[in-house]
Amino acid sequence: MDERKRLYKSRNNKMICGVCAGIADYFNIDPSIVRVLWAVLALAAGTGVLAYIACAIILPEGDTEV
């Protein structure tokens, strides 16, 4: 089993671009937790918005296989 862990945007469980679901999949946690943390970051410092846009542009799309 030579399966590497990769960070990607989710195609199956996305709200906007799939960034939070992809991060949640990478860390094996619930996507809702990542979404709430990202919203708090965006409201607290405004950094979350820029980071989300950057991730949406940079991260590749995930595989369609589940």
Side-chain angles (χ1 to χ4, degrees), residues 49-62:
V49 175
L50 293 174
Y52 192 91
I53 292 170
C55 287
I57 293 170
I58 294 170
L59 292 178
E61 289 283 333

Side-chain angles (χ1 to χ4, degrees), residues 1-60:
M1 232 191 294
D2 190 22
E3 193 172 318
R4 291 183 0 190
K5 215 174 193 186
R6 295 189 57 204
L7 185 58
Y8 58 87
K9 293 186 289 188
S10 175
R11 287 186 179 186
N12 302 326
N13 189 10
K14 64 179 171 179
M15 291 285 198
I16 298 174
C17 290
V19 173
C20 291
I23 291 172
D25 188 41
Y26 183 80
F27 289 110
N28 200 22
I29 58 175
D30 186 26
S32 298
I33 294 171
V34 177
R35 289 180 183 124
V36 167
L37 290 175
W38 210 296
V40 167
L41 218 112
L43 293 174
T47 311
V49 175
L50 293 174
Y52 192 91
I53 292 170
C55 287
I57 293 170
I58 294 170
L59 292 178

